[in-house]
């Protein structure tokens, strides 16, 4: 029997088309949408506004199953991290960060990453594959399940914000990310407003304008250095899209205004990019862009080749940025004890060569267990 097709991650139009194959009217798709994304139904039996026979028909062909939790961890500070396994056994991580006035879900867009930023743990894991829209939305569904937030509450949510800052480069998987973001923003479903969604990129310049015109979510740029010489090393993508081009794209970002500032992320690396001269160069570089600078204390990971700047240095850096008129919040590291903080995410998934995959499935066939990955 073929695996049931998941309905999670289909756009509204696709869901209508899918239901048409069963001879069901578009309003059935609307009801389904409501059950899936507003009520969070985990199976078709629960969808009691649909006829029993129709529910049975749906259950035969489709699923609304979430990615499987391989591991769930809770940090001493309340941050939760899930390692999620997808249908093919590949895994990615997702993190919920509760704060007093909000709760942020940090979502992954790829298994592994191609960018190899020198300070990032995910960067030491090769890209295995893109996540599809169902797997990106699936992370939100898992978090909502765990937080008990169904039906989608209007107020007092524990999951108020979404940041595309987990594993992977979202703008190297734009189509799936865009589809997932549109589902998350839908008012009759998960209903997370575009103002509460932030997409973080290392700077895939040609894609930035599309984010602005098609999604209009908040934009965060992983800047981390103020000269091409240093950024070429820390964020190798800079060799393709250097700082001047990146900043020009930010200046042109349509929703950049005082109400919706662009966030520049800047990881504080001891003795590398943390001097007062760096801070002054930074404010010069972004002059005129409505922006805030998010200073991120470097989060360690095993064998990382950097140290975090001292609190004193970070304070002085923040003061210079502040004095120039930019908010410069220092991002409080959250969930470090469970490697859930920025740049610490990694899964054990590896990209196998075709020959290795064949060998694994042959072995699995012999032993009767499914092959991983
Ligand atoms: N690829 C995207 C999104 C993932 S990274 C991007 O580069 O923006 C999310 C943020 O965490 C980025 O700003 C990244 O540079 C930062 N980061 C990566 N490793 C880090 C570490 N070890 N300590 C602190 N921040 C880190």
């Amino acid at each position: 029997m073929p695996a049931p097709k998941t309905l999670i991650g289909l756009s509204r139009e696709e869901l209508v088309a899918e239901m048409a194959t069963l001879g069901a009217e578009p309003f059935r798709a609307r009801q389904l949408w409501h059950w899936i994304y507003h009520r969070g139904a985990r199976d078709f039996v629960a969808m009691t506004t649909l006829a029993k026979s129709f529910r049975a028909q749906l259950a035969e062909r489709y699923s609304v199953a979430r990615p499987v939790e391989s591991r769930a961890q809770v940090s001493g500070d309340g941050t939760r991290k899930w390692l999620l396994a997808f249908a093919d056994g590949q895994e990615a991580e997702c993190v919920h960060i509760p704060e007093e006035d909000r709760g942020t879900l940090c979502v992954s867009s790829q298994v592994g990453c191609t960018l190899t930023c020198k300070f990032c743990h995910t960067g030491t894991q090769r890209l295995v594959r893109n996540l599809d829209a169902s797997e990106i939305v699936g992370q939100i569904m898992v978090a909502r399940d765990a937080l008990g937030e169904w039906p989608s509450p209007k107020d007092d949510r524990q999951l108020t914000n979404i940041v595309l800052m987990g594993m992977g480069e979202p703008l190297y998987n734009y189509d799936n990310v865009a589809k997932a973001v549109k589902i998350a923003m839908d008012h009759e479903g998960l209903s997370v407003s575009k103002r509460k969604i932030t997409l973080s990129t290392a700077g895939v310049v040609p894609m930035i304008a599309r984010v602005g015109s098609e999604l209009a979510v908040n934009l965060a740029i992983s800047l981390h250095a103020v000269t091409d010489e240093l950024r070429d090393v820390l964020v190798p993508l800079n060799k393709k899209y250097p700082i001047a081009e990146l900043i020009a794209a930010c200046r042109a970002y349509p929703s950049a205004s005082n109400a919706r500032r662009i966030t520049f992320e800047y990881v504080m690396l001891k003795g590398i990019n943390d001097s007062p001269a760096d801070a002054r160069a930074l404010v010069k570089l972004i002059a005129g862009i409505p922006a805030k600078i998010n200073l991120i204390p470097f989060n360690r990971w095993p064998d990382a080749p950097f140290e975090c700047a001292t609190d004193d240095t970070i304070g002085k850096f923040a003061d210079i940025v502040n004095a120039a008129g930019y908010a410069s919040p220092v991002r409080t590291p959250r969930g470090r004890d469970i490697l859930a903080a920025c740049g610490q995410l990694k899964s054990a998934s590896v990209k196998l060569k075709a020959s290795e995959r064949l060998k694994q499935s042959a072995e699995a066939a012999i032993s009767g267990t499914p092959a991983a990955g």
Side-chain angles (χ1 to χ4, degrees):
M1 265 218 336
K5 177 174 180 176
T6 180
L7 295 182
I8 292 177
L10 297 186
S11 67
R12 272 182 181 275
E13 297 73 27
E14 286 170 339
L15 194 58
V16 168
E18 195 64 49
M19 289 306 104
T21 67
L22 302 181
E25 301 288 329
F27 86 93
R28 293 289 172 215
R30 264 202 317 276
Q31 285 177 308
L32 256 173
W33 185 274
H34 179 87
W35 278 110
I36 298 172
Y37 297 117
H38 180 71
R39 304 286 290 264
R42 292 198 219 193
D43 54 44
F44 296 102
V45 178
M47 304 185 180
T48 47
T49 55
L50 304 174
K52 241 187 181 162
S53 56
F54 184 50
R55 280 184 267 161
Q57 211 183 355
L58 290 170
E60 253 171 44
R61 282 161 221 239
Y62 304 111
S63 119
V64 286
R66 288 56 164 134
V68 174
E69 282 180 27
S70 290
R71 190 175 64 218
Q73 290 170 278
V74 185
S75 152
D77 68 17
T79 300
R80 297 206 207 188
K81 180 169 88 165
W82 296 276
L83 176 67
L84 301 176
F86 305 107
D88 65 351
Q90 299 293 2
E91 296 182 313
E93 295 191 313
C94 165
V95 178
H96 179 256
I97 306 140
E99 288 174 84
E100 212 140 273
D101 56 341
R102 73 178 110 176
T104 304
L105 189 71
C106 179
V107 168
S108 292
S109 56
Q110 298 181 313
V111 178
C113 193
T114 54
L115 296 180
T116 66
C117 299
K118 292 293 169 297
F119 47 84
C120 179
H121 199 198
T122 313
T124 64
Q125 179 184 4
R126 281 181 55 197
L127 177 74
V128 178
R129 65 170 175 83
N130 285 333
L131 294 180
D132 66 23
S134 80
E135 295 165 332
I136 299 170
V137 175
Q139 297 171 56
I140 309 172
M141 308 295 274
V142 165
R144 279 284 192 79
D145 290 344
L147 297 167
E149 297 218 300
W150 302 115
S152 279
K154 273 209 158 47
D155 317 297
D156 287 336
R157 290 183 179 181
Q158 298 176 75
L159 198 171
T160 55
N161 294 52
I162 293 174
V163 293
L164 283 147
M165 292 189 189
M167 296 165 59
E169 169 49 52
L171 297 191
Y172 274 160
N173 184 19
Y174 180 77
D175 291 342
N176 288 313
V177 165
K179 213 168 148 194
V181 164
K182 285 178 190 161
I183 292 171
M185 293 195 295
D186 190 287
H187 290 306
E188 288 167 46
L190 295 167
S191 193
V192 182
S193 121
K194 62 177 188 227
R195 289 167 200 288
K196 306 223 176 235
I197 299 178
T198 301
L199 185 149
S200 178
T201 177
V204 185
V205 168
M207 298 305 296
I208 289 177
R210 275 184 78 185
V211 176
S213 62
E214 293 173 15
L215 304 176
V217 294
N218 301 310
L219 185 65
I221 301 287
S222 294
L223 189 61
H224 307 316
V226 291
T227 63
D228 283 326
E229 197 187 358
L230 179 59
R231 197 164 188 270
D232 279 351
V233 176
L234 296 180
V235 183
L237 182 66
N238 193 68
K239 290 185 231 158
K240 206 162 173 187
Y241 306 115
I243 291 176
E245 287 177 28
L246 179 57
I247 296 296
C250 292
R251 282 188 202 287
Y253 195 71
S255 60
S257 68
N258 275 325
R260 301 197 64 206
R261 293 167 297 174
I262 290 178
T263 301
F264 289 96
E265 297 160 281
Y266 196 95
V267 63
M268 297 297 291
L269 304 171
K270 186 177 194 170
I272 305 282
N273 64 355
D274 61 347
S275 72
D278 288 315
R280 285 190 293 269
L282 174 58
V283 296
K284 245 193 176 152
L285 187 64
I286 62 166
I289 301 178
K292 75 174 172 204
I293 317 288
N294 209 327
L295 299 176
I296 316 177
F298 170 65
N299 293 307
R300 301 187 54 82
W301 37 271
D303 300 326
F306 297 105
E307 279 180 65
C308 182
T310 63
D311 287 350
D312 187 50
T313 317
I314 298 177
K316 286 196 177 114
F317 197 104
D319 287 345
I320 294 171
V321 174
N322 241 312
Y326 296 98
S328 55
V330 178
R331 191 180 290 178
T332 316
R334 299 290 304 265
R336 270 182 175 172
D337 54 342
I338 54 167
L339 284 184
C342 299
Q344 292 183 314
L345 304 186
K346 182 171 180 176
S347 67
S349 295
V350 287
K351 186 168 188 130
L352 297 178
K353 290 197 207 116
S355 58
E356 292 164 334
R357 269 202 306 276
L358 269 174
K359 186 165 162 263
Q360 265 206 2
S361 44
E363 282 167 2
I366 292 164
S367 69
T369 51

